[in-house]
Amino acid sequence: MKNRPGLSCAVLLATALTATALTGCGHLPGMGDSTTTVTVWLMKGSASDGFVQRFTREYESEHKDIRLAVRIQEWGGIGAKVTAALRSGDGPDLIEVGNTQVAMYAESGGLRDLTLESARDLGSSDWLPGLADPGSIDGAQYGIPWYAANRVVIYNKDLFREAGITGPPKTRTQWIKDTEELNHGGRQGIYLAGQDWYTLSGFIWDEGGELAEEAGGVFTGALDSPAAIRGMNFYKELQGLGNGPRNADEAHPQQADVFAGGDVAQIIAVPGTAQTILKRNPRLKGKLGFFPIPGRTAARPSAVFTGGSDLIIPDKARHGDAAVGVVEALAGRKWQTELARTMSYVPNKAELAGVVKGEEGTAAMAAGAARGRATPNSPRWAAVEADNPIKPYMTAVLTGQDAGTAAKKASKLLTDELVDR
C-alpha cells in the first residue's frame, strides 16, 4: 500500500508492499517501552499506497505513543490464515475482512465485541446495512464497516442516444421497455450472464424475498418463496433481452470484454469495471454512463448486494485497546471521506454519500448502497459459495424448467449446506 522511507516503522514496511506481505519491525530503536506497535492486516487492493501512507503518517503524528505496522495480505487463502491467527493469539491487532466473512470468524469465539465502541463513538445507527448487518451476530457488533461497493448499470451513452432514449430508466418497467428498444439497429440491449447470482439476489430482495431465512439460529433455503420466484422471473425476462450465456457467470467470458466490443448497450457491474472496458477499447472514453439498478417504483432503486470490508479486532490481540483507536479513525468521517474519494468507494454511512458527488459511477453506487444487503449471516455461507446451488438453479429456469420446482430443489441444497454439522 504505501509509505515513504525514513518516516516510521509502518512507512518502511509499506515501501515493500508491492513485493510481498510486509513483516513487522516492532519498536524502532530509541522509542522505549512507552511506544506501542499496532499490527494491522489490510487486504491487497483495498486501499492505495498513498492512502495507507497518509493515514499512517497522520495517525502516528497525532498519537505519539503508537506506531502502525501495516501488513498486506492476499485474498487467496485468507480465511484459514485469519482463523489460525484468532486461535493462536500471536496474530495482528486489527484485521480487514470481507463483510460476509465476519460470521465465520465470530463463530470461533475469537473476536472482540465492539458494540460499545461502535455505538458510542462511531454513530452505528447510520451505517450502511449491507456492511453493518453482517458484522453483527446475536446482538454483538464484531465487525466495524469500512467501505462498500455494489453493482450499478454501466451503459453506452451513444447507443442510448441512437435509440432515442434521453435518460436512464427509473423503474423496472421502463428499464425493460428501454432495453427492448435498444435491441434494434444491430445493438444488444443488455449483456447479462445466466448465473450472475449477486444481481439475482438484489431482485429477490427487492421483491421482499430472501436467499435463506433464519429462525432460532437455523438457516433454511428460501428460493422457493413466491417473492423469491418473482425475483427470478424478472431476472429471466431481463436476461432474455440479450445474448448472455445461460450456463455461465459474468466472468465466463468477462463481461467487460463483451461490452468493450461496442455494440452492447448495458451491463450490470461495479463502476470500476469501466476502467477495464476503456483499457480494452479506448474509443469508448467519454461514452460510458452509470445509473443505479432500477427498482419496482421510481421512489427508490433496487436492492443490491453490498460487497466490501469490515474491520475486526481479535479477542486475544496484544494491543486491542490501541487497535480500537485505529478502527475509530479508519471508520470515522475524515478517513472515510479520504478513502471514498481516493478509491471511489461508498463510505460506511449514508450521510457521507455526498463526499463522492461529481463522480457519476460512485454516486450511482452510493444511491444503490442505501438499499444494500449482504448474504445470509451464517458462518457456513462460505460453504454455499464453494459449490453454489443458486447458479445451476438459475440456468435451469433460464433453459425452461419450472421455476417453482427448480427453486424447491435449490432451496433444499442450500439448507443442506447451511445446517450445523
Side-chain angles (χ1 to χ4, degrees), residues 78-347:
I78 191 61
K81 190 171 184 178
V82 171
T83 299
L86 295 177
R87 290 173 178 167
S88 70
D90 295 327
D93 302 297
L94 168 60
I95 309 173
E96 173 198 349
V97 299
N99 60 323
T100 61
Q101 297 174 333
V102 179
M104 177 176 66
Y105 299 135
E107 187 184 38
S108 70
L111 299 188
R112 177 168 175 154
D113 184 351
L114 299 170
T115 306
L116 293 179
E117 285 88 351
S118 66
R120 182 186 63 219
D121 300 319
L122 297 175
S124 58
S125 62
D126 195 39
W127 280 338
L128 295 177
L131 293 180
D133 292 349
S136 178
I137 292 87
D138 296 330
Q141 193 74 41
Y142 294 106
I144 302 300
W146 193 27
Y147 68 82
N150 52 265
R151 287 159 177 74
V152 301
V153 181
I154 301 176
Y155 72 102
N156 186 316
K157 293 180 178 180
D158 279 359
L159 299 187
F160 267 55
R161 191 177 302 111
E162 289 174 10
I165 300 171
T166 59
K170 301 293 186 181
T171 67
R172 282 188 187 178
T173 300
Q174 188 63 48
W175 193 18
I176 292 294
K177 181 179 179 181
D178 288 350
T179 303
E180 290 173 339
E181 188 63 32
L182 286 161
N183 269 330
H184 298 102
R187 300 178 294 263
Q188 183 178 173
I190 190 168
Y191 179 88
L192 180 59
Q195 295 183 347
D196 184 353
W197 71 278
Y198 287 118
T199 294
L200 170 65
S201 298
F203 297 157
I204 289 174
W205 293 326
D206 211 40
E207 291 286 351
E210 299 289 345
L211 302 180
E213 296 178 334
E214 184 267 339
V218 177
F219 284 85
T220 56
L223 294 172
D224 55 338
S225 73
I229 291 175
R230 288 196 300 272
M232 181 65 234
N233 286 336
F234 177 74
Y235 187 99
K236 180 178 181 180
E237 181 181 10
L238 184 65
Q239 200 271 343
L241 295 178
N243 295 323
R246 297 175 180 177
N247 61 348
D249 62 23
E250 62 275 23
H252 301 91
Q254 290 288 345
Q255 61 177 354
D257 294 342
V258 177
F259 188 91
D263 62 352
V264 173
Q266 305 171 88
I267 58 171
I268 300 173
V270 294
T273 304
Q275 299 306 313
T276 303
I277 293 169
L278 293 176
K279 286 181 181 178
R280 301 286 190 276
N281 186 356
R283 290 173 296 178
L284 290 176
K285 184 176 182 179
K287 299 179 180 181
L288 303 184
F290 310 83
F291 59 86
I293 297 174
R296 297 171 65 195
T297 72
R300 57 184 186 177
S302 175
V304 291
F305 168 78
T306 298
S309 287
D310 282 14
L311 301 171
I312 62 173
I313 297 176
D315 196 40
K316 296 179 181 179
R318 295 178 181 177
H319 306 298
D321 290 344
V324 169
V326 180
V327 169
E328 290 175 348
L330 286 170
R333 174 180 288 272
K334 176 180 178 180
W335 291 104
Q336 279 292 295
T337 299
E338 178 79 2
L339 184 65
R341 290 174 175 170
T342 299
M343 301 300 296
S344 296
Y345 290 146
V346 177

Side-chain angles (χ1 to χ4, degrees), residues 13 29 58 63 73 89 113 142 155 181 185 263 276 298 300 324 339 354 377-378 381 385 408 416 418 421:
L13 291 172
E58 291 194 30
H63 303 82
Q73 308 296 316
D113 184 351
Y142 294 106
Y155 72 102
E181 188 63 32
D263 62 352
T276 303
R300 57 184 186 177
V324 169
L339 184 65
N377 208 10
S378 165
W381 188 259
E385 294 193 22
K408 286 181 180 179
D416 290 345
L418 293 169
R421 295 180 174 83

